[in-house]
Amino acid sequence: MKKNVGDTNNNPLCSIVIVIKKQMLFRQKELSPQLKERLKEYVYDVIGHLFKLYKELPCGFPEYIYQDALGIEFTENSVPFKKEYIFHPLFRGKPLMSYFKMDFMLERSRGNIIIECKAIDEIGEKERHQLFSYMSGSQFPIGILVNFSTYPEAEIEKYYYDKLDGTISPF
């Protein structure tokens, strides 16, 4: 998605630079249909819980209300999770004093899942980059970005982080 930033005087070179910068931040690749299907199955129950929560608490509440309600939803359904999970990224093999504070981290045997909750008009690049930083910094393979302030249903984006090549791709 290309946005007109600042006064570019409709200079096409400015637009090209903006697009190239966005593509360089996080590379993505096309996932195989088989991998997409396995990933969708892996998060199927989580997506169900998100939709169930939205049916009971439709758009209009602040983000922290949805976070508290999602914690109750996971607890009542025996979904192992950590709320406001703190993770210290590594630099040269050493943990930094700075940390990420993820809304939710779900513990799964084949790879943990990060969930970032939002209550905003629409998901944008800022929110995606926040999630992508968490995924690459923690090496957790699955990230879900959910926006509860949309109608008629919650806006949900699912991403896969490939540790081998550093790509983050939607599925």
Side-chain angles (χ1 to χ4, degrees):
M1 179 165 71
K2 184 175 85 174
K3 293 184 179 176
N4 190 3
V5 180
D7 182 19
T8 62
N9 295 323
N10 293 325
N11 183 342
L13 291 178
C14 260
S15 296
I16 291 170
V17 171
I18 292 169
V19 171
I20 289 173
K21 280 184 177 181
K22 283 187 176 183
Q23 288 177 348
M24 289 183 350
L25 290 175
F26 291 98
R27 297 179 305 126
Q28 72 177 32
K29 64 181 176 187
E30 185 62 34
L31 302 175
S32 73
Q34 297 86 1
L35 179 56
K36 280 185 181 180
E37 191 58 36
R38 285 198 317 267
L39 291 168
K40 287 177 184 178
E41 289 173 9
Y42 193 65
V43 299
Y44 181 81
D45 64 319
V46 176
I47 301 302
H49 293 300
L50 296 174
F51 280 123
K52 182 178 176 189
L53 179 127
Y54 185 82
K55 280 179 89 172
E56 293 182 51
L57 286 177
C59 64
F61 294 95
E63 184 177 309
Y64 62 88
I65 298 294
Y66 294 108
Q67 291 170 342
D68 286 348
L70 190 54
I72 292 170
E73 174 69 17
F74 287 151
T75 299
E76 288 179 354
N77 289 281
S78 303
V79 176
F81 73 95
K82 292 182 180 167
K83 186 174 181 225
E84 296 184 346
Y85 178 71
I86 293 177
F87 178 82
H88 296 268
L90 302 177
F91 179 71
R92 297 182 183 155
K94 297 179 177 92
L96 299 174
M97 290 180 65
S98 301
Y99 57 87
F100 295 131
K101 191 174 184 182
M102 305 171 194
D103 289 342
F104 288 91
M105 188 275 292
L106 278 58
E107 300 174 282
R108 297 279 171 109
S109 60
R110 296 187 326 232
N112 296 336
I113 300 171
I114 299 167
I115 299 178
E116 271 303 302
C117 298
K118 301 296 176 192
I120 55 179
D121 289 336
E122 65 182 37
I123 293 173
E125 293 303 310
K126 177 184 171 188
E127 292 77 27
R128 287 184 191 97
H129 287 288
Q130 177 187 12
L131 177 66
F132 297 169
S133 294
Y134 292 174
M135 293 171 73
S136 62
S138 66
Q139 303 285 297
F140 295 163
I142 308 289
I144 298 174
L145 190 53
V146 58
N147 182 12
F148 289 105
S149 283
T150 53
Y151 181 81
E153 61 184 29
E155 179 182 14
I156 298 174
E157 298 182 359
K158 306 174 299 278
Y159 295 94
Y160 170 69
Y161 172 67
D162 189 330
K163 298 174 193 177
L164 298 177
D165 61 13
T167 57
I168 297 179
S169 304
F171 68 92

